[in-house]
Amino acid sequence: MVTPKQIRPAQRCDILCVLVIESTQHMQPLFHELYDSIITKIITQLRTPTIVESAGKKNQTTKASPSVRLGVVFFGDYYPYSTQTCSTQYFTSNYREFSKTIKAHNFCQGGQLRCAVTDGLVGALEMFDDFAEFDPEAHLANVQQRHVILVSSTPPYAEPCRENIHMRYDGFELEDVAKRMRELKLSFSLIQERGSKIEQVESLLKSANVSTKSPIEIPKAMSPSFEVRLMGIDLPIPPEFAEPTPQAVPIAPAVSQPQQH
């Protein structure tokens, strides 16, 4: 048990999180329920202070109070099916303003068959690069976690991204995105509409994450419309949504057969 005397003053801990959200006509009626039921809980969990052990000091703990910076990339289809393929809001620590922006977003047309998923993920990578360039002190000293959460239901185009701003991402495909995410040690999580199994996107859970752990899966009762798989985010599951643990079936002892003489 941690006593008050054992806890040192709170230390700063920056967490960067980019939501990469499919902005299509199909997603519009589904998204706001998802945001209220799941995404707000994820953000709340990221903002929760944690108790960590201090390195090299026995029985000494530190309360880490996260400063969560949230960014968002909306991606749709290519012109003329969508008027804007990608739109980006840079990192902010003002959760109220971030939430207001998300809820006021106008979803695009297009995306009935394919979406610019790769462009959306490249937009997230560019945001992390910009943060490292414009705020190098925070980038080097304080950032403890980097998250990308993809919200998607439509298959990606099987071609390189077109809408990148930084030249280093010219010609990037999904496999290049996964490699770059590993280089940056990002945690990639996936929120995908149930029933829309998209192998190219689901494979990112393994190829984009450095960790070999399995993602945490949110029960269907908690998220009926979307399959939620989280890496590096330990989202608590309320007891009313927890799936029952399978009961072990007792094995009857073997009955020995009488030997014949």
Side-chain angles (χ1 to χ4, degrees):
M1 179 178 178
V2 178
T3 63
K5 291 183 179 180
Q6 292 175 308
I7 299 179
R8 298 174 60 196
Q11 291 186 347
R12 179 178 172 182
C13 168
D14 281 3
I15 296 176
L16 304 180
C17 180
V18 181
L19 294 173
V20 183
I21 301 169
E22 179 181 317
S23 177
T24 61
Q25 187 177 18
H26 175 76
M27 184 66 73
Q28 183 170 7
L30 303 172
F31 179 74
H32 290 292
E33 180 182 350
L34 172 69
Y35 185 80
D36 291 335
S37 62
I38 296 295
I39 295 177
T40 55
K41 291 181 174 61
I42 292 173
I43 296 172
T44 298
Q45 181 62 23
L46 291 175
R47 299 172 72 199
T48 302
T50 58
I51 303 297
V52 296
E53 296 290 337
S54 296
K57 295 186 178 181
K58 190 175 181 181
N59 296 326
Q60 189 81 61
T61 59
T62 300
K63 185 177 182 181
S65 300
S67 172
V68 180
R69 306 190 191 200
L70 302 166
V72 63
V73 179
F74 287 102
F75 67 93
D77 206 337
Y78 294 119
Y79 183 83
Y81 305 107
S82 290
T83 55
Q84 187 176 21
T85 302
C86 291
S87 61
T88 301
Q89 177 178 307
Y90 189 69
F91 291 117
T92 177
S93 56
N94 189 328
Y95 172 57
R96 184 173 297 178
E97 289 300 319
F98 176 82
S99 180
K100 189 182 298 184
T101 300
I102 293 284
K103 292 183 176 181
H105 177 74
N106 292 318
F107 284 74
C108 303
Q109 303 296 314
Q112 283 85 355
L113 298 177
R114 300 284 175 183
C115 256
V117 177
T118 307
D119 293 86
L121 292 172
V122 166
L125 293 175
E126 291 179 327
M127 198 181 303
F128 285 105
D129 290 345
D130 289 342
F131 181 81
E133 179 180 354
F134 298 133
D135 197 351
E137 183 178 346
H139 170 70
L140 294 173
N142 301 313
V143 176
Q144 303 297 319
Q145 299 177 34
R146 299 171 178 84
H147 295 275
V148 172
I149 303 174
L150 175 62
V151 182
S152 178
S153 69
T154 306
Y157 281 102
E159 59 183 73
C161 68
R162 306 179 192 175
E163 302 293 321
N164 56 296
I165 298 174
H166 298 180
M167 291 181 62
R168 71 172 301 162
Y169 296 110
D170 286 353
F172 255 53
E173 299 182 0
L174 279 179
E175 59 185 24
D176 302 306
V177 169
K179 181 180 178 181
R180 179 61 176 155
M181 285 186 175
R182 290 174 67 89
E183 291 173 356
L184 295 176
K185 294 181 172 58
L186 301 178
S187 294
F188 174 79
S189 298
L190 178 60
I191 301 178
Q192 187 171 276
E193 187 181 6
R194 293 191 185 276
S196 60
K197 293 290 183 181
I198 305 171
E199 184 178 346
Q200 308 99 302
V201 173
E202 293 192 19
S203 66
L204 292 174
L205 284 168
K206 290 186 177 180
S207 62
N209 285 298
V210 174
S211 174
T212 57
K213 293 181 179 180
S214 298
I216 295 175
E217 297 191 23
I218 302 304
K220 186 175 181 179
M222 189 173 172
S223 178
S225 300
F226 286 86
E227 189 173 0
V228 181
R229 285 169 285 185
L230 302 176
M231 291 293 292
I233 304 173
D234 191 11
L235 187 65
I237 308 299
E240 62 268 25
F241 294 121
E243 295 179 348
T245 305
Q247 298 295 322
V249 179
I251 302 176
V255 178
S256 59
Q257 297 294 329
Q259 297 181 353
Q260 296 182 352
H261 298 284

